[in-house]
Amino acid sequence: EFDGCRLKNLRYEEYGKYLTEQEEWARQYGEDEAIVFLSDFHVYEFGGDGSLNPNENYINWKWILTRSDGGAWTLRTWGYG
């Protein structure tokens, strides 16, 4: 889904504003837990699916996953916001 892009960094920040945000995402999806991963990536000149700007770096792009009862994580959404 992100053809023509290069991942530069993928991280999880355990403290700060994302901890509160995780609780909000879990509640929104009716789950026990949520986790927010952050990524930085570059879109090449002809990369992306048309929704990303060519030759641009995206910083702190979010990936939201949720789960309940220690089950499998489900990717719910991604992007800025």
Side-chain angles (χ1 to χ4, degrees):
E1 293 181 35
F2 284 78
D3 290 336
C5 299
R6 182 175 59 90
L7 181 66
K8 293 179 165 188
N9 188 1
L10 180 65
R11 65 194 174 283
Y12 168 71
E13 295 186 12
E14 189 172 356
Y15 303 101
K17 70 178 185 175
Y18 297 108
L19 186 58
T20 301
E21 188 174 325
Q22 288 173 177
E23 294 170 358
E24 293 170 6
W25 282 110
R27 191 171 25 260
Q28 178 178 332
Y29 286 101
E31 301 276 14
D32 294 336
E33 297 177 275
I35 191 167
V36 177
F37 289 102
L38 301 170
S39 65
D40 305 333
F41 61 93
H42 176 77
V43 180
Y44 292 113
E45 183 177 359
F46 299 107
D49 62 0
S51 66
L52 301 170
N53 297 325
N55 295 317
E56 188 164 324
N57 291 308
Y58 287 78
I59 308 298
N60 293 331
W61 184 268
K62 294 179 186 176
W63 302 88
I64 313 301
L65 293 85
T66 64
R67 72 176 180 177
S68 284
D69 300 321
W73 290 99
T74 300
L75 177 62
R76 296 296 187 164
T77 190
W78 59 86
Y80 288 127

